[in-house]
Amino acid sequence: MDKPIDFLAIGDLVVDDFIRLKDAEATCDLDQENCRLCVRFGDKVPFEFHEVIYAVGNSANAAVSASRLGLNSALSGVVGNDDYGKACMKALTDNSVSLEYIEIDPQLPTNYHYVLWYGPERTILVNHAPFERHLPKDLKAPKWIYLSSLGENTEGFHHEISEWLKEHPETKLAFQPGTFQIKIGVEKLRDIYELTDVFFCNFEEAQRILQTKEEDHKKLMDMLHALGPKVIIMTDGIKGAYAREDNGDMWYMPIYPHTPVERTGAGDAYASTITAALAMGKSLAEALMWAPINAMSVTQAIGAQKGLLTQEKIEEYLQNAPEDYKIKKLN
């Protein structure tokens, strides 16, 4: 690659097989929490259709998002030496994401997930192949590294990343932890947290990371900031998102009004759009105005990438935004 990389996403990439259920039900507590997807046990359950989408996953979605916004984007990930792996690489190329740091494992299969889609929500059956991960030996320092979901055998890889970042302070880190990264706990990833420039999670993830039942958004962000990240972005579904700057300033940003078709990838669109905007030199306030628009657009199509917007389209939505679509200072 001739031009320097603006945005290098690191994480697992997968194939998502969306299965649209029509004969199921969702049961929730009275407060609409702890919802469960229910289908008849020991029976044949019909579905409407399925759609296979290649080269997705938190980091792959972010790499495509950054590319569509105009950044020079690359993905560091592993695929198997199989047809699914070839299809993933083609999908990345079609989205102008560099394959320079994609590795091909000769033995293990490309990650393949099943997405049970019912109403606007989805339940994903996941299975991550235990790929051995290392940073490329010839890695050129990008402007930003975007680190997200990795498999359960990658604790050592995280420490490798943190050591590289210490040697390359010119590269900033955005961290959007996935399931394993939350499960492993803060202590084992302490060096990653301390090196993070922008940290992303949702409200429930914040509680799990901090092992607390605290419900005050400001207190949760203070607690996350104490772990090391400079800027905290915490989303809370349709309630909007909250942000905390390194100097303690806090902000609230509502969602862009919409009716979702399917919500997969909305969080990835949100986090990657903020990171990409910052990489372009935008202010945090501008980034927070962009992110809900890209997240909204993603929920209008199947999968995490079809709805990702260009910078021009985001600006167009901004010009036509409702009057109350504004960032609000909380302190």
Side-chain angles (χ1 to χ4, degrees):
M1 178 179 290
D2 296 325
K3 293 194 296 182
I5 296 170
D6 299 312
F7 186 106
L8 174 63
I10 299 176
D12 288 344
L13 70 157
V14 307
V15 179
D16 273 351
D17 191 343
F18 278 79
I19 303 170
R20 177 64 175 174
L21 299 176
K22 65 177 182 179
D23 190 359
E25 63 179 20
T27 61
C28 302
D29 294 345
L30 288 175
D31 57 1
Q32 294 302 303
E33 299 292 337
N34 301 312
C35 296
R36 290 171 174 80
L37 175 67
C38 301
V39 295
R40 295 191 310 279
F41 183 65
D43 199 358
K44 294 179 180 178
V45 178
F47 65 93
E48 290 184 34
F49 64 89
H50 83 116
E51 183 171 338
V52 178
I53 303 177
Y54 298 101
V56 291
N58 300 87
S59 295
N61 298 337
V64 172
S65 173
S67 174
R68 208 160 291 179
L69 288 168
L71 293 181
N72 195 17
S73 175
L75 175 67
S76 172
V78 186
V79 296
N81 186 24
D82 50 29
D83 289 343
Y84 292 137
K86 295 182 180 71
C88 284
M89 289 192 288
K90 181 182 185 302
L92 290 170
T93 300
D94 290 347
N95 280 290
S96 301
V97 175
S98 170
L99 303 181
E100 185 175 4
Y101 301 124
I102 295 292
E103 300 175 48
I104 300 173
D105 189 289
Q107 303 294 331
L108 295 170
T110 301
N111 294 319
Y112 196 100
H113 295 172
Y114 295 91
V115 184
L116 305 180
W117 173 23
Y118 183 67
E121 292 291 356
R122 79 287 182 273
T123 297
I124 307 177
L125 308 181
V126 303
N127 182 16
H128 288 266
F131 295 122
E132 187 173 336
R133 297 298 306 272
H134 294 287
L135 282 177
K137 292 179 181 178
D138 58 346
L139 178 60
K140 309 174 193 73
K143 286 184 182 178
W144 282 81
I145 282 178
Y146 183 101
L147 176 62
S148 194
S149 183
L150 285 163
E152 293 194 9
N153 64 323
T154 58
E155 182 182 340
F157 182 45
H158 286 84
H159 298 309
E160 187 179 327
I161 293 169
S162 66
E163 289 304 311
W164 187 94
L165 285 164
K166 289 173 187 175
E167 295 171 5
H168 297 84
E170 69 273 28
T171 296
K172 294 188 176 182
L173 175 65
F175 183 32
Q176 181 208 21
T179 303
F180 165 69
Q181 291 154 325
I182 293 174
K183 180 181 175 183
I184 195 176
V186 172
E187 285 308 315
K188 290 187 176 179
L189 295 181
R190 175 69 67 178
D191 46 357
I192 291 291
Y193 279 89
E194 291 176 348
L195 290 163
T196 295
D197 291 277
V198 186
F199 181 83
F200 300 95
C201 67
N202 63 36
F203 175 77
E204 293 79 15
E205 289 168 342
Q207 291 180 318
R208 290 204 297 273
I209 290 164
L210 297 164
Q211 297 183 330
T212 181
K213 293 184 179 179
E214 177 63 60
E215 295 189 353
D216 184 275
H217 294 90
K218 294 180 183 179
K219 290 179 181 177
L220 284 170
M221 289 193 293
D222 281 339
M223 293 163 74
L224 289 168
H225 181 263
L227 300 179
K230 294 182 178 69
V231 175
I232 306 296
I233 310 292
M234 184 173 64
T235 59
D236 195 7
I238 61 172
K239 296 177 184 176
Y242 300 80
R244 185 197 192 282
E245 296 191 69
D246 202 19
N247 64 5
D249 286 349
M250 294 190 185
W251 306 89
Y252 167 75
M253 188 68 213
I255 65 167
Y256 198 94
H258 67 287
T259 300
V261 172
E262 193 276 312
R263 291 195 175 105
T264 301
D268 299 335
Y270 206 104
S272 61
T273 301
I274 286 178
T275 307
L278 294 175
M280 293 175 188
K282 302 289 184 183
S283 68
L284 180 61
E286 288 175 297
L288 285 165
M289 292 287 287
W290 278 23
I293 294 171
N294 222 0
M296 170 277 298
S297 182
V298 161
T299 71
Q300 305 304 299
I302 301 173
Q305 296 178 7
K306 282 184 184 177
L308 289 170
L309 299 172
T310 62
Q311 183 175 341
E312 291 72 25
K313 288 298 291 184
I314 287 179
E315 295 288 358
E316 187 178 313
Y317 273 107
L318 269 177
Q319 289 174 9
N320 298 305
E323 191 173 331
D324 59 353
Y325 184 72
K326 296 175 182 176
I327 189 169
K328 299 168 187 173
K329 200 165 192 299
L330 295 178
N331 56 0

